[in-house]
Amino acid sequence: VSPDGSGDFHNLEEALAAIPKDSVLTLRRGAYVLRRGVVLKQAVTLIGEGIDATQIVAETGDYVIRYEGDGLFRMSDLSVRWWPGQDPEKKAADVVTVAQGEIQFEHCCFSGANYNQKDNFYGAGLFIIGDTRGAITNCLITGNGLGVQISDQAQPLLKGNICTLNLGSGISLYKQAQPTLEKNFCAG
């Protein structure tokens, strides 16, 4: 997929809607601006050309990407960013929400989840809920209301990540969440 529409699909939304389960999408260098956040209901792999080169961006909806599938959702070498624009009153949103299944995120950046003062709601760079399993390794989670929020019975491994410049917290745990945390760095 190419952001200028010259790939096999005209845009990322079209590609995600058309591909079969367990497909691998290679995202070329550039920004993929979504009309609104997307819900993924099947296993997929998204591979970019680097966190400084490939971006998936949305500014409408409750998230940029929400995963609700049963299989593996894998992302590597890309950035996912919520862009609230110039409106400080814009509803807070999460960058990536994972409601179930298995994840493998490596060498990614998650940024831009905002804090909405009116609603007193912090958006999260990563919001991991349900019984999600998997690993988040060597990622940058920066400039969000909350860095990584893990809740319910989720049990991901977080290893070697940097959580910085998040307003509320770097990594926060709720309910019965039992992640494994190894060598992560969190700072204001």
Side-chain angles (χ1 to χ4, degrees):
V1 179
S2 184
D4 66 5
S6 64
D8 294 335
F9 299 95
H10 290 101
N11 57 52
L12 183 56
E13 291 104 321
E14 180 183 302
L16 292 170
I19 59 172
K21 182 178 179 180
D22 297 320
S23 291
V24 176
L25 280 180
T26 300
L27 304 177
R28 303 227 187 282
R29 174 180 299 270
Y32 297 82
V33 180
L34 306 174
R35 288 184 295 265
R36 67 179 297 107
V38 296
V39 176
L40 302 176
K41 294 188 179 273
Q42 62 184 5
V44 65
T45 297
L46 304 176
I47 300 173
E49 292 186 355
I51 64 171
D52 295 326
T54 305
Q55 293 184 27
I56 301 171
V57 181
E59 63 179 44
T60 305
D62 295 327
Y63 41 77
V64 179
I65 298 173
R66 179 179 171 93
Y67 182 64
E68 300 176 350
D70 290 324
L72 176 64
F73 174 34
R74 181 173 178 254
M75 289 194 295
S76 68
D77 300 302
L78 55 85
S79 291
V80 184
R81 183 169 51 102
W82 171 254
W83 179 248
Q86 301 301 315
D87 183 0
E89 294 298 314
K90 191 163 197 165
K91 179 181 172 188
D94 300 313
V95 177
V96 173
T97 298
V98 181
Q100 66 185 40
E102 183 179 357
I103 56 173
Q104 184 178 354
F105 300 159
E106 55 196 357
H107 305 290
C108 291
C109 178
F110 305 96
S111 65
N114 59 326
Y115 167 68
N116 181 286
Q117 189 172 7
K118 179 181 173 190
D119 298 329
N120 194 30
F121 181 81
Y122 288 88
L126 288 172
F127 185 36
I128 311 298
I129 57 176
D131 61 356
T132 301
R133 306 277 190 274
I136 302 160
T137 57
N138 301 310
C139 291
L140 174 63
I141 302 98
T142 186
N144 300 290
L146 299 172
V148 181
Q149 183 177 357
I150 305 169
S151 189
D152 302 327
Q153 295 82 34
Q155 296 182 14
L157 164 68
L158 278 74
K159 183 175 182 179
N161 300 293
I162 297 173
C163 300
T164 184
L165 303 175
N166 299 294
L167 296 175
S169 64
I171 299 171
S172 53
L173 312 178
Y174 299 90
K175 299 183 181 177
Q176 293 88 28
Q178 295 182 351
T180 301
L181 306 174
E182 297 179 7
K183 299 181 181 179
N184 298 288
F185 174 79
C186 297

